[in-house]
Amino acid sequence: MKGVVILGSTGSIGQQTLDVIQAFPQVLRVVGLAAGNNLELLVSQARRFQPQAVSCLGPFEECASLFPPGTTFTSLEELATHPEADIVMVATTGKAGLQPTLAALQVGKAVALANKEVIVMAGELVTAWARRFGTPLLPVDSEPSAIWQCLQGDKNPIRRILLTASGGPFRTWTPEAVAKATPEDALNHPTWRMGKKITVDSATLMNKAFEVTEIHWLFDVPWQKIEVVVHPQSIVHSMVEFADGSVKAQMSPPDMRLPIQYALLHPSRLPNESLPRLDLTTPSALTFEPMDATRFPCFNLAREVGERGGTYPAALCGADEVAVELFLQHGIGFADIHRVLEQVVERHESVAHPGLEEILAADAWARDQVRELAKGV
Ligand code: MG
């Protein structure tokens, strides 16, 4: 039995993680659940899965009676280091997952990382801690998971990573139309149903640049060996090319429960009848095309920032979180997201090889900058 803690259990990945756990009652059990403000769903999850401990924002005293008797209320960090946890699913969004991730790594709890901002903000620090404490850091994001799966049983050096991108909702839109896109347009992703922040990041292709950064740190692959390929069907989740020219791909219908299940159960692959199956015996087409990065300036900005390192990525992540929030509230336009982020990056004074304090300071500084800049938009 593996004890699982889910940070962000009421979000899209959190709910799908519970679906996976429910499919394997002999193998997986819920030890702890943490949510933000969706108390109603957290209570119903707690009643169903009977975790020992829960965490949520807001006053616990007022809601304690809603949870099953004996449930402990605790902080994210304590949940991430719970004595009965074997694996911590970090499915929070933005910077919320950073400190719990470090806490879990420090005490040897395997971290399944769905919250990619954690590794974008603090890739050097997080991977150094995973190495230092010998703790597994497991990808959950479908593309890094695909690469991880392609690398199983293969110790050969990687020649190139082909990171696939659906292209998001604006793949075929003109630049003029994209500039005027509304939150509703941006939230209409063609292949994936996800939380709002990541869906907007997928429309700007910021998400794809974050994945480049994630892959760089998780698999120690040089930046120039990571190439993005547009694959609108989201069936091939990424590919690895080896020295002899052989390319391995991982394919499956776009459903996050598969990479979640792999992170929780690897190296085992157990049958899960509720997962969709890929059927290539019926007429179907898998297409690939180069990405036109000039149409998605956030991609180039974030990729460059990832490569520059220091506290630039933390500043960009913090700034992006606020900019996306403002866009969703109709406070700024779609094209303003890039405009604002570029200015924040220009103004930022980066610290090389930052520790946690410097990373959090850069994040806080950048958030203030965006709020200030947005007033002038
Ligand atoms: Mg992804």
Side-chain angles (χ1 to χ4, degrees):
M1 265 316 235
K2 250 189 208 178
V4 185
V5 162
I6 307 173
L7 308 183
S9 66
T10 57
S12 168
I13 297 290
Q15 293 184 51
Q16 294 181 81
T17 303
L18 287 171
D19 284 349
V20 170
I21 291 172
Q22 196 165 32
F24 300 99
Q26 310 302 324
V27 190
L28 301 168
R29 72 187 174 100
V30 177
V31 167
L33 297 173
N37 294 308
N38 195 345
L39 195 61
E40 206 177 316
L41 183 54
L42 180 64
V43 168
S44 90
Q45 291 177 339
R47 287 186 180 160
R48 213 165 101 213
F49 290 94
Q50 306 280 322
Q52 298 176 12
V54 296
S55 171
C56 65
L57 296 175
F60 295 139
E61 306 78 43
E62 286 171 28
C63 57
S65 63
L66 302 172
F67 287 89
T71 309
T72 317
F73 297 90
T74 183
S75 68
L76 282 184
E77 276 82 358
E78 277 182 48
L79 214 50
T81 55
H82 193 283
E84 292 190 28
D86 298 297
I87 185 162
V88 181
M89 171 63 72
V90 181
T92 41
T93 57
K95 72 159 182 181
L98 178 56
Q99 279 152 298
T101 295
L102 291 172
L105 290 176
Q106 203 172 4
V107 296
K109 307 289 184 192
V111 171
L113 197 59
N115 181 180
K116 74 189 74 173
E117 286 88 343
V118 167
I119 202 140
V120 175
M121 291 178 81
E124 193 180 7
L125 186 70
V126 168
T127 50
W129 279 42
R131 274 194 307 273
R132 195 199 317 167
F133 298 104
T135 311
L137 188 57
L138 314 169
V140 175
D141 201 359
S142 60
E143 298 83 354
S145 175
I147 293 164
W148 182 34
Q149 293 179 57
C150 289
L151 291 174
Q152 294 304 307
D154 211 321
K155 296 265 176 283
N156 288 295
I158 296 167
R159 177 152 184 258
R160 193 163 56 134
I161 296 286
L162 293 162
L163 169 60
T164 51
S166 71
F170 304 139
R171 182 175 62 92
T172 57
W173 287 36
T174 64
E176 294 72 32
V178 173
K180 292 191 198 110
T182 65
E184 293 67 36
D185 297 326
L187 290 174
N188 187 25
H189 196 277
T191 48
W192 293 100
R193 292 284 156 262
M194 310 174 282
K196 285 185 180 176
K197 159 75 168 47
I198 187 173
T199 306
V200 175
D201 280 345
S202 299
T204 59
L205 286 197
M206 176 68 84
N207 180 59
K208 208 42 64 179
F210 282 173
E211 285 173 0
V212 172
T213 308
E214 196 181 3
I215 287 162
H216 166 76
W217 288 113
L218 282 176
F219 303 103
D220 197 21
V221 181
W223 299 96
Q224 68 277 12
K225 291 190 176 181
I226 308 170
E227 277 179 46
V228 176
V229 177
V230 174
H231 168 52
Q233 297 83 18
S234 299
I235 299 290
V236 174
H237 298 299
S238 277
M239 296 170 265
V240 180
E241 185 185 322
F242 296 93
D244 57 0
S246 176
V247 176
K248 279 195 199 172
Q250 187 267 329
M251 295 194 279
S252 52
D255 190 310
M256 282 308 296
R257 289 173 298 172
L258 180 62
I260 290 169
Q261 178 174 322
Y262 193 72
L264 295 178
L265 298 179
H266 84 96
S268 301
R269 293 189 183 275
L270 302 182
N272 182 347
E273 293 316 318
S274 61
L275 287 182
R277 299 273 155 175
L278 184 61
D279 182 9
L280 296 177
T281 61
T282 57
S284 46
L286 301 178
T287 60
F288 301 90
E289 56 193 70
M291 183 185 62
D292 179 5
T294 57
R295 296 183 52 230
F296 299 99
C298 283
F299 175 85
N300 281 341
L301 177 68
R303 179 163 178 149
E304 199 189 302
V305 157
E307 227 171 310
R308 274 199 229 167
T311 47
Y312 278 116
L316 182 69
C317 270
D320 181 54
E321 213 174 317
V322 178
V324 168
E325 222 173 83
L326 287 169
F327 167 67
L328 288 171
Q329 296 160 1
H330 299 268
I332 62 173
F334 188 76
D336 295 326
I337 298 175
H338 172 255
R339 234 171 269 143
V340 165
L341 296 182
E342 196 176 37
Q343 289 182 61
V344 172
V345 170
E346 256 169 41
R347 290 178 184 185
H348 186 60
E349 287 173 25
S350 174
V351 178
H353 309 296
L356 180 60
E357 254 170 63
E358 284 118 340
I359 288 167
L360 294 176
D363 168 85
W365 170 86
R367 286 167 189 266
D368 288 342
Q369 291 288 309
V370 174
R371 289 186 196 107
E372 207 46 51
L373 286 164
K375 289 179 194 162
V377 164

